Amino acid sequence: MEIHCENISLTFQEKKIFEDLNFTIKSGENICIGGESGKGKSSLLKIIAGQLKPTSGQIVFDAIPLNKNSIKSIRNQLIWIPQNINLPVYNGKQLIDLMQIKKNTALVKNYLNDLGLDNTFLTKDFSKISGGQKQRIIISICLSLNKEIVLMDEPTSSLDEHAIELLIQLIKKIKNKIFISASHNETWLQSVDKIIQL
Amino acid sequence: MEQKIIDLSFLELLISIATLLIPFLFFWIYKIRLIKSVIISVIRMIIQLTLVAIYLEWIFDKNNAWINSAWILVMLLVSVFTTIRRAELHWKNFAIPLFISGFTTIFIIDAFFLGYIIKLKYIFDAQYLIPISGMLLGNALNNNIIGLNSYYKGLKEKEELYQFLITNTGNKKLALQPFLETAIRKALNPMIATISVLGLISLPGMMTGQILGGVDPSIAIKYQFLIMIAIFVGCTMNLFLSIILANKNAFDSYDNFKSDEIVKEIN
């Protein structure tokens, strides 16, 4: 699997966010989009996910350009881990039900353990646990989808240093995937293979 | 029990308006700024009902299929534009879908209940067609405002949730499920509650009107049963059709929600 970003530009309300970005990411690589707030890190990630259309340029997945005909099959290869999300569910178990991925529960539990949480966290009320614990539960559920490309928007935003380290180790353990994140966390930036600076 | 109905004089109607002083007193004591809106609504109601009374008399007198259908069409158009305005949606994306869904609903419900159940010889008979269609449209209006507002505003306010579900599952139907469920529940719950207590703690307007008009209560109850079923089926069908048809314009070619083109800015 290869992802090519070809001459990607984004203009928002007549302001150029970024221009003519070109890069390639291959299977097994862990890439981070770096840069200060407002530079368009999350926007670039959303463009790769097909959630936002670039002003110009295109994203190509294994010679297939991202467009209205290919979006569905490309989504089948994508995992999207948002920075923060208000979910209409009380706990991880309900989220699993909502996503109809009950068969992944064992894998979710494995990832939860890797991230320092025991299985009981799957049934704990989201409103009664910390933001970091909730983020780790959502990351575990998303990773259990076991797809080719993992897109993570500020994956460390609610995590403490220990949890960040656990997440870095988990990502390293998962082979042959493409990891693309948007972050300005120093520990995270040091752990990736390549940084695309905006 | 044939009994002549007691007519009301204009003076008596005017005196009945005086009872509005009770809610106004509460509004005034608790500083709830609703008095002006209520006065405007009541004045509008008086003007509308007066005009409708004159117009309906003429419609009932003519009892012509084209005139009766045209009246239903006018009610439908008013209902469509009121729904769009009150649900704070953009009319260009909703006018046609809501019109089609409303028209389809009215057509099916009227054809089935008036033609098949009541077995009217003349299906366009103003005495049946206009009140039943009117009641259906009136209820569908409230139902659609609540349902469409909840569904599309929910999508706008929780767009991240939709993106999360569609990107991770690749399944648009599944990604829309929580929004649809919330909207349908919000819209239909009051009606389900009304149906469940009908006759116990509420005597609906239609039945009360018929009984006051001298109709035997057993006949009034049969009609009330029929109309409640027709309203529930019609409202549900109308809301689902409205959402299904309006969804065609609500998403771009990547299935991303076009929030700015669909929902007006929330002030």
Side-chain angles (χ1 to χ4, degrees):
Chain A
M1 164 65 76
E2 275 189 2
I3 303 173
H4 301 277
C5 288
E6 299 175 354
N7 305 312
I8 296 288
S9 300
L10 181 68
T11 304
F12 182 67
Q13 290 176 342
E14 294 179 16
K15 188 187 161 200
K16 277 181 185 164
I17 310 292
F18 45 73
E19 211 176 358
D20 280 335
L21 288 178
N22 286 284
F23 56 87
T24 298
I25 311 165
K26 293 175 183 168
S27 272
E29 284 188 321
N30 181 2
I31 303 296
C32 185
I33 304 162
E36 296 161 17
S37 292
K39 290 283 183 185
K41 300 189 296 292
S42 295
S43 299
L44 180 56
L45 211 59
K46 283 181 178 176
I47 288 173
I48 298 169
Q51 294 176 5
L52 188 67
K53 289 183 181 173
T55 313
S56 61
Q58 66 173 356
I59 309 284
V60 181
F61 294 80
D62 270 348
I64 300 167
L66 177 63
N67 57 36
K68 63 179 181 180
N69 299 318
S70 63
I71 183 78
K72 212 164 180 187
S73 62
I74 287 170
R75 276 198 179 121
N76 289 333
Q77 302 174 66
L78 295 178
I79 290 174
W80 173 255
I81 302 176
Q83 180 181 357
N84 208 342
I85 188 160
N86 285 321
L87 297 162
V89 290
Y90 300 113
N91 56 37
K93 192 177 167 294
Q94 271 202 340
L95 182 58
I96 290 171
D97 291 341
L98 185 66
M99 294 170 76
Q100 297 180 0
I101 50 165
K102 233 173 180 171
K103 62 183 188 308
N104 296 7
T105 307
L107 193 54
V108 175
K109 286 177 180 172
N110 284 346
Y111 287 141
L112 266 184
N113 298 158
D114 288 335
L115 292 175
L117 299 177
D118 61 54
N119 297 348
T120 61
F121 273 86
L122 264 191
T123 49
K124 283 193 179 167
D125 195 330
F126 277 159
S127 64
K128 288 177 183 158
I129 58 175
S130 72
Q133 287 166 333
K134 183 181 165 187
Q135 195 168 21
R136 279 182 275 174
I137 294 168
I138 292 171
I139 290 172
S140 302
I141 292 170
C142 291
L143 287 178
S144 80
L145 294 168
N146 199 21
K147 299 191 206 170
E148 294 296 303
I149 303 155
V150 184
L151 305 170
M152 300 180 281
D153 191 9
E154 300 284 359
T156 62
S157 61
S158 305
L159 303 183
D160 59 26
E161 280 301 313
H162 176 62
I164 292 172
E165 202 50 55
L166 291 174
L167 180 60
I168 291 169
Q169 294 312 316
L170 175 61
I171 300 290
K172 282 185 176 157
K173 216 168 86 175
I174 302 171
K175 304 288 180 196
N176 300 319
K177 309 273 184 205
I178 289 177
F179 287 95
I180 310 173
S181 54
S183 177
H184 54 255
N185 180 282
E186 274 307 314
T187 314
W188 185 263
L189 286 168
Q190 282 168 16
S191 75
V192 299
D193 301 324
K194 199 160 72 181
I195 298 168
I196 296 159
Q197 198 69 32
L198 294 181
Chain B
M1 62 177 255
E2 275 303 311
Q3 196 178 319
K4 201 172 183 301
I5 188 149
I6 304 162
D7 198 1
L8 302 169
S9 72
F10 285 107
L11 182 67
E12 283 156 348
L13 286 177
L14 277 174
I15 292 168
S16 75
I17 293 177
T19 57
L20 283 174
L21 287 173
I22 297 167
F24 286 176
L25 186 67
F26 281 109
F27 296 154
W28 181 70
I29 291 170
Y30 291 99
K31 297 191 182 351
I32 294 162
R33 286 175 294 175
L34 265 180
I35 297 178
K36 197 178 155 194
S37 310
V38 175
I39 291 174
I40 292 171
S41 297
V42 170
I43 291 171
R44 274 190 61 163
M45 179 180 76
I46 293 168
I47 296 169
Q48 284 160 201
L49 286 179
T50 309
L51 291 174
V52 167
I54 296 165
Y55 191 63
L56 278 185
E57 216 159 281
W58 180 75
I59 283 184
F60 276 66
D61 184 47
K62 296 278 175 205
N63 208 10
N64 173 287
W66 291 105
I67 297 172
N68 295 351
S69 304
W71 180 242
I72 305 285
L73 206 64
V74 169
M75 289 199 291
L76 177 59
L77 284 172
V78 172
S79 141
V80 165
F81 284 98
T82 309
T83 304
I84 294 170
R85 202 183 69 241
R86 295 281 303 277
E88 296 173 339
L89 304 167
H90 282 288
W91 69 270
K92 67 169 184 165
N93 290 301
F94 286 90
I96 294 172
L98 263 58
F99 180 80
I100 295 172
S101 56
F103 184 83
T104 311
T105 306
I106 286 281
F107 184 83
I108 292 173
I109 296 291
D110 281 350
F112 183 77
F113 284 92
L114 299 182
Y116 182 71
I117 303 288
I118 302 178
K119 293 186 179 61
L120 285 183
K121 281 186 185 139
Y122 179 48
I123 202 169
F124 293 101
D125 192 343
Q127 193 191 345
Y128 290 86
L129 181 73
I130 290 173
I132 289 182
S133 304
M135 249 186 289
L136 179 59
L137 279 171
N139 282 279
L141 173 79
N142 289 328
N143 199 61
N144 258 19
I145 290 170
I146 297 168
L148 292 171
N149 184 282
S150 162
Y151 181 76
Y152 288 106
K153 271 199 176 165
L155 270 167
K156 187 183 173 103
E157 286 164 10
K158 292 183 180 167
E159 207 175 337
E160 264 203 26
L161 167 65
Y162 171 71
Q163 293 293 8
F164 174 83
L165 291 172
I166 188 132
T167 311
N168 285 320
T169 66
N171 183 337
K172 188 176 169 189
K173 194 178 163 202
L174 189 149
L176 290 174
Q177 173 63 26
F179 300 98
L180 188 67
E181 187 170 344
T182 307
I184 300 293
R185 276 183 186 280
K186 265 193 191 172
L188 294 181
N189 266 345
M191 204 183 298
I192 295 169
T194 305
I195 290 173
S196 70
V197 296
L198 212 64
L200 284 178
I201 56 169
S202 82
L203 282 183
M206 179 189 158
M207 199 167 103
T208 315
Q210 278 189 312
I211 294 170
L212 285 174
V215 171
D216 191 317
S218 66
I219 297 174
I221 281 168
K222 283 182 199 162
Y223 272 92
Q224 188 57 53
F225 172 80
L226 199 71
I227 199 74
M228 285 315 290
I229 298 291
I231 286 173
F232 184 73
V233 174
C235 286
T236 308
M237 190 197 300
N238 192 30
L239 181 55
F240 272 102
L241 282 178
S242 298
I243 290 176
I244 291 166
L245 295 175
N247 268 354
K248 306 259 179 229
N249 296 327
F251 298 86
D252 68 12
S253 56
Y254 286 12
D255 280 337
N256 294 319
F257 181 55
K258 297 190 289 186
S259 59
D260 294 335
E261 289 178 41
I262 298 299
V263 184
K264 287 188 177 169
E265 273 308 310
I266 303 158
N267 296 316

